[in-house]
Amino acid sequence: AYQAMRLAVWLVFAAWRGAWAEEKNETTAPALVLARKYIGREAIVVEGKGLVLRYEVVNVGDSAAVDVSVEDAIDLEWFEVIEGEASARIGELAPQGRYGYNVTVTPKIAGDVEVDRAVVHYTANGQSKRMISSSPGRLHVTSAGAYLRATSYYLKEWLPFSPFPPP
């Protein structure tokens, strides 16, 4: 009796879920692409040290986004591109699909710099759309000398005392 009741409840739930899924498919949401541009786990941005910019593009809609492309311009006065391309051509992004890539840059100058946002272009249901990504915002680039002073083990300063044994 318990098994039959459990089977009946499961069948009713499955039928309800199937009806809900059919109803949901009739009103599919168009593609909606969101983008994020951020910096990895680097806590300190240092002049001359590699920095990874991460790009993540997500389609949160219920239909595919086509002709998806990311355009970004890295300020070459402040950064040198070491690896990767800031702009990307994705093509089609499936519903609930995700695409990510990295660009490694090296800061050339110490100081404060504003990192620009990337622009995503795509087509949804025959309409051309444009979306602006999030941004890492203002970055403080620490000079290589200041970083070395803050993180060194002071070996050069303690080296003259090495011949003397501790008391």
Side-chain angles (χ1 to χ4, degrees), residues 68-147:
V68 181
S69 64
V70 179
E71 294 177 7
D72 193 15
I74 293 177
D75 188 350
L76 297 178
E77 180 183 328
W78 281 87
F79 299 102
E80 178 184 354
V81 178
I82 303 300
E83 184 180 334
E85 294 284 328
S87 297
R89 184 141 197 78
I90 300 169
E92 184 173 327
L93 194 57
Q96 308 305 316
R98 181 178 301 268
Y99 181 85
Y101 65 98
N102 299 332
V103 177
T104 304
V105 297
T106 301
K108 294 181 185 178
I109 308 169
D112 290 330
V113 61
E114 185 72 34
V115 177
D116 292 333
R117 299 170 186 267
V119 178
V120 179
H121 296 277
Y122 67 99
T123 303
N125 293 347
Q127 293 183 354
S128 183
K129 305 273 185 176
R130 178 176 177 247
M131 193 278 172
I132 298 175
S133 75
S134 64
S135 169
R138 188 176 239 14
L139 295 179
H140 177 73
V141 179
T142 305
S143 71
Y147 178 74

Side-chain angles (χ1 to χ4, degrees), residues 14-72:
W16 173 77
R17 186 167 181 197
W20 180 76
E22 286 178 21
E23 180 182 307
K24 186 178 175 189
N25 285 339
E26 291 174 8
T27 59
T28 58
L32 176 61
V33 176
L34 303 177
R36 180 177 173 207
K37 176 181 176 182
Y38 62 103
I39 295 175
R41 297 183 178 263
E42 293 85 359
I44 301 174
V45 180
V46 181
E47 173 188 16
K49 186 177 177 191
L51 171 70
V52 178
L53 292 174
R54 300 179 194 272
Y55 297 80
E56 189 173 305
V57 181
V58 180
N59 180 1
V60 295
D62 291 331
S63 60
V66 295
D67 299 327
V68 181
S69 64
V70 179
E71 294 177 7
D72 193 15

